[in-house]
Amino acid sequence: MSRTALITGVTGQDGSYLAEFLLSKGYEVHGVVRRSSSDTCQRIHHLESDITLHSGDLLDQQSITQLIADVHPDEVYNLAAMSFVPTSWPQPLLTAETTGLGVTRVLEAIRAVDRQIRFYQASSSEMFGRVQEVPQSETTPFWPRSPYSVAKVYGHWITVNYRESFDLFACSGILFNHESPRRGTEFVTRKISRTVAKIKLGLATELRLGNLKAKRDWGFAGDYVEAMWLMLQQDSANDYVVGTGETYEVEQFVSAAFEHVDLDWHDYVVIDPKFYRPAEVDLLVADPAKAKRDLGWEPKVNFRELVTMMVDADLAELASQVTARPKIRRAA
């Protein structure tokens, strides 16, 4: 008998990869989308005949409870959030409502409908913020440094509380930075890969960035969704750090991307103070030993392969757009 999964945030990077993964496992997959006047389903257009989409909003308790009652999934993956860190400063209240209280609304819906439903919460390495130890594990204290990460800390701890208070199978994956060709263009890795592709194709002349010395643990999103699924297959619920255990500076990502297209990044990168955060997170690197031991999970794509994958995908997409543009014939 096939299992049923419900994914909030199905239209995002992680949601699209998770939907693909669960379909490959034989799941019936349902996704939650917010009503919008614009098309937000670009990442899942190729899946729309294979999954069922429902309107819902993490700001609306009734819609979430009714949806879970109607679908009655075996597993719920809460990936929805206001996820772009810089936006959380000008929109701190919306970030708190969606990224923080939204988690409680989903947990409340599960508690009301069926406590046997298994729940996954997308926690974030940004919760570690001003890191208290290196590398960061499940026992490292949190020190969030943005409204986004503060909201994520709330979502993480409310998940722990519902697990301990109501005996729900509720767990959190503390995922370190995970990227892909489906990453939003506002995120620094995709901004880099896309601008590098534009420069190579003659469509741009510079790449404007902020802090090049910030260090991150970068992996491939397609690998990380498997870890989410593995967490819900265990005998008991627990929280896991998921990352590669390796850290690289933004500058190293930039250098690798330009090097892949035979260009020197020094000729194109401009440091722009407006891209600095009010409170910077300088160093994030995972200790994924628990996930490797308990889940048997290992990342498959390494740093260089990830950078290459992203640049190649942007080169292919932009080149096809250039080729498809109609040529304007000028009058004699």
Side-chain angles (χ1 to χ4, degrees):
M1 183 177 177
S2 67
R3 285 179 287 177
T4 301
L6 178 67
I7 305 171
T8 72
V10 71
T11 60
Q13 169 189 253
D14 292 7
S16 65
Y17 280 113
L18 179 61
E20 286 178 347
F21 179 83
L22 293 175
L23 287 170
S24 76
K25 293 289 185 182
Y27 277 69
E28 178 183 321
V29 177
H30 295 255
V32 184
V33 295
R34 295 181 64 187
R35 288 195 178 277
S36 173
S37 58
S38 59
D39 181 11
T40 59
C41 298
Q42 299 95 329
R43 295 183 183 91
I44 57 169
H45 277 321
H46 64 296
L47 301 175
E48 286 188 276
S49 61
D50 299 314
I51 66 178
T52 304
L53 298 178
H54 307 265
S55 293
D57 195 321
L58 290 187
L59 302 181
D60 180 8
Q61 181 69 66
Q62 183 175 352
S63 73
I64 295 300
T65 302
Q66 188 61 55
L67 179 54
I68 289 178
D70 291 343
V71 174
H72 212 111
D74 299 287
E75 300 169 3
V76 172
Y77 296 84
N78 184 44
L79 310 185
M82 203 301 295
S83 60
F84 186 49
V85 175
T87 303
S88 72
W89 274 286
Q91 297 183 346
L93 298 181
L94 178 61
T95 301
E97 281 284 354
T98 305
T99 307
L101 289 177
V103 185
T104 311
R105 294 185 184 104
V106 179
L107 287 164
E108 269 296 289
I110 291 172
R111 187 166 77 95
V113 173
D114 183 357
R115 297 190 186 190
Q116 298 306 306
I117 295 172
R118 296 191 168 202
F119 174 77
Y120 171 84
Q121 164 61 13
S123 288
S124 169
S125 60
E126 287 281 337
M127 300 188 303
F128 294 119
R130 183 184 289 174
V131 297
Q132 302 302 290
E133 63 183 12
V134 178
Q136 295 90 53
S137 71
E138 294 80 5
T139 59
T140 302
F142 299 137
W143 193 316
R145 304 204 79 197
S146 66
Y148 166 79
S149 54
V150 170
K152 279 292 186 182
V153 169
Y154 174 88
H156 181 87
W157 281 116
I158 201 67
T159 300
V160 172
N161 272 261
Y162 270 67
R163 179 170 72 224
E164 295 178 349
S165 301
F166 304 117
D167 197 30
L168 297 187
F169 193 108
C171 63
S172 292
I174 307 174
L175 271 56
F176 280 63
N177 293 65
H178 46 290
E179 319 297 322
S180 78
R182 300 179 192 174
R183 189 60 139 155
T185 53
E186 70 273 22
F187 289 88
V188 67
T189 51
R190 185 75 192 289
K191 178 181 179 180
I192 293 167
S193 68
R194 195 160 186 82
T195 307
V196 166
K198 285 182 177 180
I199 291 171
K200 183 65 177 178
L201 294 170
L203 303 174
T205 58
E206 66 179 23
L207 169 59
R208 304 185 77 86
L209 294 170
N211 182 13
L212 295 185
K213 296 303 179 183
K215 295 181 178 181
R216 294 292 185 270
D217 183 329
W218 279 302
F220 173 49
D223 290 342
Y224 286 39
V225 298
E226 181 182 12
M228 301 177 188
W229 175 75
L230 285 167
M231 291 179 208
L232 296 195
Q233 312 315 307
Q234 304 305 301
D235 293 332
S236 58
N238 217 318
D239 305 320
Y240 296 90
V241 160
V242 178
T244 69
E246 299 178 353
T247 189
Y248 295 88
E249 292 181 349
V250 173
E251 182 178 305
Q252 290 174 285
F253 198 108
V254 170
S255 176
F258 275 99
E259 183 181 305
H260 182 58
V261 296
D262 299 316
L263 295 174
D264 184 343
W265 69 270
H266 296 89
D267 296 332
Y268 303 97
V269 173
V270 177
I271 302 302
D272 189 333
K274 78 176 183 180
F275 293 117
Y276 277 79
R277 294 184 181 186
E280 184 59 80
V281 174
D282 296 310
L283 170 62
L284 293 175
V285 56
D287 176 2
K290 182 179 175 183
K292 292 181 179 181
R293 182 186 70 242
D294 295 356
L295 306 179
W297 179 84
E298 296 265 3
K300 301 178 180 67
V301 177
N302 66 33
F303 176 74
R304 284 278 178 177
E305 292 168 338
L306 174 64
V307 176
T308 299
M309 175 199 304
M310 293 179 67
V311 173
D312 284 345
D314 278 321
L315 278 170
E317 181 184 340
L318 290 167
S320 67
Q321 290 176 7
V322 171
T323 304
R325 286 176 185 168
K327 294 182 179 179
I328 300 174
R329 299 183 63 181
R330 299 185 181 277

